Amino acid sequence: MRIVLGVGGGIAAYKAALLLRLFSEGGHEVTVVPTEAALRFVGAPTWEALSGRQVQTDVWSNITDVPHVRIGQEADLVVVAPTTADLLAKAAHGLAGDLLTNVLLTARCPVVLAPAMHTEMWEHAATRANVATLRERGVTIIDPASGRLTGTDTGPGRLPEPEDMHAAAMAAVGGTSGPRPEGGSGHDLTEHAVLVSTGGTREPLDPVRYLGNRSSGKQGLAVAEVAAARGARVTLVAANLELPVAPGIDVVPVETALELQAEMDARAADHDVVVMVAAVADFRPADYAASKIKKTHDPADPDAAPSITLVRNPDILAGLVSARGGAASPLLVGFAAETGDETGSVLELGRAKLARKGCDLLVVNEVGAGLTFGADDTTVHVLTRGRDDAVDIGPASKRAVSEGIWDAVVASLHPAGLRAID
């Protein structure tokens, strides 16, 4: 495959060198087209050594080859990483002042942009409008990660890791880092509506305290964003999610397990696939204290503490299975966070849960201190009802894992003959 790797003028340009290596190791022919500003961060000799090809930034070099038209016309994929706010604006408005922006205008292949900039720039109304415009035109835009930026700043705007960009780029042209079902496509969910839950529920104890869990919502968010990138119409029911969500995904905020249940029950029948990623609290306080529960100051009993009675929360996934009855739609995907115990391993407990829940697929992952919750990488095992084998995915980034999960879902979707969106 002939890939054009555009490089914008940002400090994160060094990551593009690692992305170039991933493309090259995959056997692809890569032409690097940096901007003049990008060469201030990573010089032309680096790009030429890694790609084995000459690098140019303007439309005047090798003029007889008409590079400003030919490069885009001949490309099978164009990836720009990092994409600065300036490049986003130029791409959205069709400006063509250098070789890279000319390539973006002439390319008729999939285009993937990986923005990287300071949080204020990413969240500015002008940038959001440019992103929305490009997405409406079919451009794949990978939302930036949240983390350390230039200097001491932190927040959304960080260029994703090379492996995540590589996975998104391969998905855009119909391939991922793992196996894809026969006839798979980078937009293989275009005709489907997807409902995803994410985050961790919080069960109020009093006005300032709650029972909760360590879920950050990262995995569910990645599942939703990958589905959207593959063409699905996505609704995300988010329990206490504090991460930015990509434009184009409908977000329904909830707090408690009962609120999550109500939204999932009300919306499930209107979707082709339901993915229950949210970490739902198993129990909630039986009684809510209208005012803050205070410590006692009785000298005779300085260690006194209140007793809190808990009641069981509903099993939301089991309820969705029951409501579906014998119908084939929606396809139901559950998540099982397991630690393993004296009764069985993580995978054994997952198989038992799949049988008990009655869903179509179950994604099993091992959790615990330093594992999965809040981390950027994870390993999961996808179990399918009626099959004895498991699909192992990872260790990999949560976005790459999400690609593998959707590959497994698509493999189950197509034989099921689910309805398309009108």
Side-chain angles (χ1 to χ4, degrees), residues 17-257:
L18 302 175
L19 178 59
L20 168 57
R21 174 156 289 176
L22 290 175
F23 286 143
S24 297
E25 290 176 347
H28 304 296
E29 178 184 297
V30 185
T31 299
V32 181
V33 182
T35 64
E36 283 286 350
L39 295 182
R40 290 177 174 264
F41 294 96
V42 181
T46 297
W47 301 120
E48 292 176 349
L50 291 175
S51 68
R53 293 177 170 274
Q54 184 181 1
V55 164
Q56 63 185 81
T57 63
D58 61 74
V59 299
W60 304 108
S61 302
N62 300 322
I63 194 67
T64 56
D65 292 334
V66 198
H68 72 290
V69 174
R70 177 184 55 80
I71 294 175
Q73 287 178 334
E74 294 180 353
D76 299 308
L77 170 68
V78 175
V79 181
V80 183
T83 306
T84 62
D86 180 64
L87 267 176
L88 274 176
K90 288 176 178 176
H93 293 279
L95 301 181
D98 62 5
L99 185 57
L100 178 54
T101 48
N102 273 270
V103 168
L104 291 173
L105 277 182
T106 57
R108 293 299 179 265
C109 59
V111 175
V112 178
L113 306 181
M117 62 197 72
H118 278 276
T119 302
E120 293 83 359
M121 300 171 74
W122 172 247
E123 294 178 344
H124 195 282
T127 302
R128 308 311 289 170
N130 291 333
V131 168
T133 295
L134 290 165
R135 281 181 166 146
E136 287 173 1
R137 294 176 187 161
V139 175
T140 297
I141 297 182
I142 310 171
D143 279 297
S146 184
R148 181 72 176 268
L149 306 173
T150 306
T152 59
D153 291 350
T154 60
R158 180 183 176 90
L159 186 68
E161 294 307 307
E163 294 79 8
D164 291 339
M165 293 187 287
H166 180 263
M170 292 298 99
V173 289
T176 64
S177 55
R180 183 174 289 278
E182 185 71 23
S185 163
H187 293 83
D188 49 10
L189 293 171
T190 298
E191 296 183 340
H192 296 289
V194 169
L195 179 64
V196 180
S197 72
T198 194
T201 62
R202 296 176 180 177
E203 311 302 325
L205 178 59
D206 63 22
V208 298
R209 301 183 181 92
Y210 60 84
L211 299 180
N213 54 64
R214 298 180 184 274
S215 176
S216 66
K218 287 183 178 180
Q219 183 66 78
L221 181 58
V223 167
E225 291 182 343
V226 168
R230 290 168 74 156
R233 187 180 70 193
V234 181
T235 299
L236 182 66
V237 181
N240 308 292
L241 184 68
E242 297 179 357
L243 300 171
V245 180
I249 295 176
D250 294 329
V251 181
V252 181
V254 297
E255 181 179 4
T256 69

